[in-house]
Structures are given as C-alpha cells and as structure tokens.
Amino acid sequence: MRGENIRNNRTMRNRIRRNRQIRNRLMMCFLTIILVAAFSSFFFGFRTKAQENDEGKAYKYYKSITIEAGDTLWHYAKQYGDERYYDNCNDYIREVKSINALRSDHITAGCHLILPYYSSS
C-alpha cells in the first residue's frame, strides 16, 4: 500500500512538472512571437523613405483645344508629349485617342480635342 502511494505521488509530481514545462515552453513561444511581431512592426513601421523633391514633380493637366487646319496628332504629340512621361510620340497619341474616343489618327479642323500635358505649376 505504501509503495503504491509513493508511485502515485511520484506520478503526480511528474505530471505537475511536465505540465509546468509545457506551460513554460508555450509561454516562451508566445513571448517570442510577440517580440518578433513588435520588432517587425517597429522596424518596418518607422523606416523613412527617400522621396524626390517637389521641385521636380509635375502634375498632369488636360487642355481643350480647337483643331486648326493642317494640325495632326503627331504635331500635338511633339508639342505636349513630355519625354519624361511618355516613351515616344506613339504613346502620347494612343492616350489622346483613348481620351477623345478616336478610332483613327485622322482629325478634322474645327473639332475639339482634349490633350493631356504635364506641368510643375
């Protein structure tokens, strides 16, 4: 009887010790996750980003014009299509055609066009 009580006590102490170890390990895992999350939040949340000056920044505007005789989309692309924002004149012409719902490159004198352009003011 006494030997059985000793085994039961030993078994109970082992269970208690194992439960403490498991609880301690879970607590350490939880604290590690919290620390990693806090560090990541701090590191990525407070990084500064390099930004360009407002001096070099241009804004996109739109201008309505009346087409004169002899004008072409190519002419307007040369005049308003800034190389910093368009790879070539065809890109500018494609945008003008899209804005004005034009199906071809043909434009008629006396009609109106909306032209995009960039300006820093």
Side-chain angles (χ1 to χ4, degrees):
M1 182 98 169
R2 182 165 160 83
E4 194 173 308
N5 282 340
I6 292 173
R7 266 187 293 206
N8 285 340
N9 285 340
R10 198 179 300 160
T11 304
M12 286 301 271
R13 282 185 300 209
N14 285 341
R15 281 185 186 161
I16 291 170
R17 189 176 70 224
R18 185 178 302 190
N19 285 339
R20 278 188 199 143
Q21 287 174 341
I22 290 172
R23 191 174 32 219
N24 287 341
R25 287 180 182 163
L26 285 174
M27 185 62 77
M28 289 303 288
C29 286
F30 180 72
L31 288 174
T32 302
I33 290 170
I34 295 294
L35 285 173
V36 167
F39 178 74
S40 297
S41 166
F42 177 77
F43 181 72
F44 292 113
F46 295 109
R47 280 192 324 180
T48 59
K49 294 181 181 178
Q51 296 179 357
E52 61 184 58
N53 291 342
D54 284 342
E55 296 170 7
K57 194 180 254 187
Y59 299 96
K60 190 174 194 177
Y61 296 99
Y62 296 91
K63 179 178 191 174
S64 178
I65 56 111
T66 302
I67 301 169
E68 301 290 329
D71 286 349
T72 62
L73 290 177
W74 190 262
H75 166 78
Y76 293 122
K78 289 281 192 188
Q79 186 175 357
Y80 295 105
D82 192 338
E83 300 90 26
R84 290 178 291 175
Y85 305 102
Y86 298 99
D87 290 334
N88 54 46
C89 288
N90 288 327
D91 288 345
Y92 182 82
I93 291 170
R94 198 173 300 117
E95 184 175 355
V96 169
K97 286 171 59 176
S98 174
I99 291 170
N100 292 285
L102 298 174
R103 293 186 179 158
S104 71
D105 292 347
H106 179 72
I107 55 175
T108 307
C111 293
H112 295 277
L113 275 181
I114 297 173
L115 300 177
Y117 67 97
Y118 286 88
S119 177
S120 59
S121 57

